[in-house]
Amino acid sequence: MMHCQLYKENKMKINEITLNEQAITQQELSQLYVKGKPMSFIKNTPVALIPFANLEKLFGPEKAQEVASLAGSVDKTSYSQAYQQNGYVVFQWNSNENAPDIYIANPEVVSSKYEKFTGQLPTDPKGRSKVPSLVVLDKLGLDASRVPFFVKKVPTEMVSADSIGLSGKVIQTSWGEQTVQQGGFIVKEPNGHIYTVAPDAQGLPIGYIRA
């Protein structure tokens, strides 16, 4: 009888552990997000944005083709030729895949949400490693000095991950699973998609400043 009771208790513990290890879904995240206190931040990390139609002029036909072939490859997005020709190429780095995360942005989004970066880009290796666009351009052998950089001018709303009990939890996102870091933040995009941003040494979202 005692062995049977122990078996049941152990089975319950195993089931509890399995349940706790399951990634939190987008639907569950939406229910938790509304319980947090919204905060506004501005993303001040420069990002490289190039009109798709200018790729060949800037980098030559071979490199332009390489960049075009990578567009949408991380999230399996396909673009029509018309959309590509009118859009902007966004250069980002996917640390989970350890690969370029290049996608095409709508020109209206670029003009409404971004403004030209007028500051100085880092030249030292450590500083450059903190700017995803520079990491991608360097990996692809593209001259960053020929590329225009922009920063977001529209604030991003977030809530504290700790305040809604998500610290250390695994969440589901459109690009895979993310682990929420202690002191991190939860972002909800206008389309409803939710993801997490890790904190920096000052306790702010990495790449962001207070709005």
Side-chain angles (χ1 to χ4, degrees), residues 67-85:
V67 171
S69 68
L70 290 169
S73 60
V74 170
D75 53 8
K76 307 297 187 294
T77 302
S78 58
Y79 305 101
S80 68
Q81 187 174 358
Y83 184 88
Q84 281 186 330
Q85 290 299 324

Side-chain angles (χ1 to χ4, degrees), residues 24-27 29-30 33 75 156-158 171-178 185-197:
I24 298 171
T25 66
Q26 286 286 302
Q27 183 178 357
L29 289 172
S30 294
Y33 186 89
D75 53 8
T156 298
E157 183 184 282
M158 307 184 190
I171 65 173
Q172 292 179 0
T173 71
S174 63
W175 55 78
E177 294 182 349
Q178 283 186 300
F185 298 84
I186 303 299
V187 183
K188 187 173 185 178
E189 297 178 325
N191 63 6
H193 179 247
I194 295 175
Y195 62 96
T196 182
V197 176

Side-chain angles (χ1 to χ4, degrees), residues 122-174:
T123 56
D124 62 291
K126 185 176 181 180
R128 293 177 74 84
S129 69
K130 296 180 180 180
V131 181
S133 284
L134 287 176
V135 174
V136 176
L137 293 170
D138 289 345
K139 292 284 186 181
L140 296 178
L142 303 175
D143 185 1
S145 67
R146 304 187 64 193
V147 178
F149 279 73
F150 294 76
V151 288
K152 264 190 176 178
K153 60 183 179 182
V154 177
T156 298
E157 183 184 282
M158 307 184 190
V159 300
S160 163
D162 295 359
S163 70
I164 56 176
L166 288 177
S167 177
K169 302 293 185 181
V170 176
I171 65 173
Q172 292 179 0
T173 71
S174 63

Side-chain angles (χ1 to χ4, degrees), residues 88-99:
Y88 277 76
V89 181
V90 184
F91 292 82
Q92 292 285 23
W93 183 259
N94 187 306
S95 56
N96 289 330
E97 300 285 339
N98 195 33

Side-chain angles (χ1 to χ4, degrees), residues 199-204:
D200 62 16
Q202 286 72 46
L204 296 172

